[in-house]
Amino acid sequence: AQTVTQSQPEMSVQEAETVTLSCTYDTSESDYYLFWYKQPPSRQMILVIRQEAYKQQNATENRFSVNFQKAAKSFSLKISDSQLGDAAMYFCAYGAPGGSQGNLIFGKGTKLSVKP
Amino acid sequence: GAGVSQSPSNKVTEKGKDVELRCDPISGHTALYWYRQSLGQGLEFLIYFQGNSAPDKSGLPSDRFSAERTGGSVSTLTIQRTQQEDSAVYLCASSLGASSYNEQFFGPGTRLTVL
């Protein structure tokens, strides 16, 4: 069965600095999707960034980028120029390709604090 | 346009009572997912719908949990004879289709507290 592990329950970063959140996963599939979701105190889960496993290039979305290491089954999220609004829970998630289901498997999350 | 909505936002109930949680997906989204988020935990998949059918109910924690979707739109998650361990945030998500390729859009969740 696929699993997702986030080894950092909490992280802290100074405003305008860079922080990296870690995620590892386990799967026997060769093609899949990986996601980072942000959950602020409002509880609304928001998709931050998505990576397709067959793509070599690391995904980027403005200040957010990933370091995808397929062989190591690692998928870390880098947040550059951190802002106060980045403070939230961040969840890494795995999704199987195509098929007929599409449910995501989530890690337990990392709580990110941003210090002014 | 409107996002995914869930009601109620918060629900407090007594042990043994039945509760119904509602999810209104984004219009046109054929896939709908229910997840449970317990304190300090990630999201646990419960059930998904493609249209009105739920091909896989294996994620439901017990036979006290059931879900239905009517008209390919609104879904209701029902928990019978609630237990304290059912206390959690129940999140609903919808997407264009039942594939990980399609982005899942989440609702704000229902926080259920069982006393």
Side-chain angles (χ1 to χ4, degrees):
Chain A
Q2 294 87 1
T3 58
V4 177
T5 302
Q6 293 180 250
S7 59
Q8 305 155 318
E10 295 187 26
M11 290 284 285
S12 181
V13 64
Q14 204 73 33
E15 194 176 6
E17 297 294 307
T18 295
V19 65
T20 299
L21 308 184
S22 302
C23 173
T24 58
Y25 59 93
D26 189 23
T27 183
S28 58
E29 303 283 345
S30 60
D31 191 19
Y32 44 87
Y33 300 92
L34 296 167
F35 307 84
W36 279 99
Y37 276 88
K38 171 184 177 181
Q39 186 182 41
S42 67
R43 300 199 305 244
Q44 189 90 43
M45 296 279 283
I46 302 164
L47 179 64
V48 174
I49 199 165
R50 181 175 84 170
Q51 176 79 40
E52 297 170 47
Y54 68 88
K55 289 187 176 179
Q56 301 275 355
Q57 189 171 7
N58 289 324
T60 63
E61 286 288 341
N62 301 313
R63 298 182 295 107
F64 299 87
S65 62
V66 299
N67 183 4
F68 173 48
Q69 301 290 327
K70 191 173 184 179
K73 296 180 181 176
S74 171
F75 182 61
S76 60
L77 174 70
K78 185 171 84 171
I79 305 174
S80 303
D81 185 25
S82 297
Q83 301 175 0
L84 295 177
D86 295 334
M89 284 291 292
Y90 285 82
F91 292 95
C92 177
Y94 167 96
S100 60
Q101 189 148 332
N103 62 288
L104 302 179
I105 298 169
F106 286 85
K108 292 187 177 182
T110 296
K111 183 177 181 181
L112 178 66
S113 302
V114 180
K115 298 179 180 178
Chain B
V4 178
S5 61
Q6 292 185 246
S7 61
S9 177
N10 292 282
K11 176 72 176 179
V12 180
T13 190
E14 293 179 348
K15 178 182 172 181
K17 300 281 190 181
D18 298 351
V19 295
E20 283 190 354
L21 311 180
R22 176 188 168 107
C23 172
D24 267 287
I26 292 173
S27 177
H29 281 192
T30 61
L32 185 149
Y33 303 84
W34 283 99
Y35 295 90
R36 178 170 71 173
Q37 184 177 20
S38 302
L39 188 64
Q41 301 294 314
L43 278 70
E44 171 192 8
F45 168 71
L46 298 178
I47 191 170
Y48 87 101
F49 290 88
Q50 176 58 48
N52 289 335
S53 66
D56 182 7
K57 300 182 181 180
S58 61
L60 294 176
S62 77
D63 58 8
R64 297 185 294 105
F65 287 71
S66 63
E68 64 175 15
R69 188 180 186 193
T70 55
S73 182
V74 172
S75 176
T76 302
L77 177 69
T78 300
I79 308 173
Q80 295 179 309
R81 305 181 302 282
T82 52
Q83 303 295 312
Q84 289 184 333
E85 61 262 29
D86 299 334
S87 296
V89 174
Y90 290 82
L91 291 165
C92 173
S94 71
S95 65
L96 283 172
S99 165
S100 298
Y101 178 80
N102 296 306
E103 179 179 351
Q104 292 186 22
F105 294 83
F106 284 80
T110 294
R111 181 180 297 279
L112 174 65
T113 302
V114 182
L115 302 177

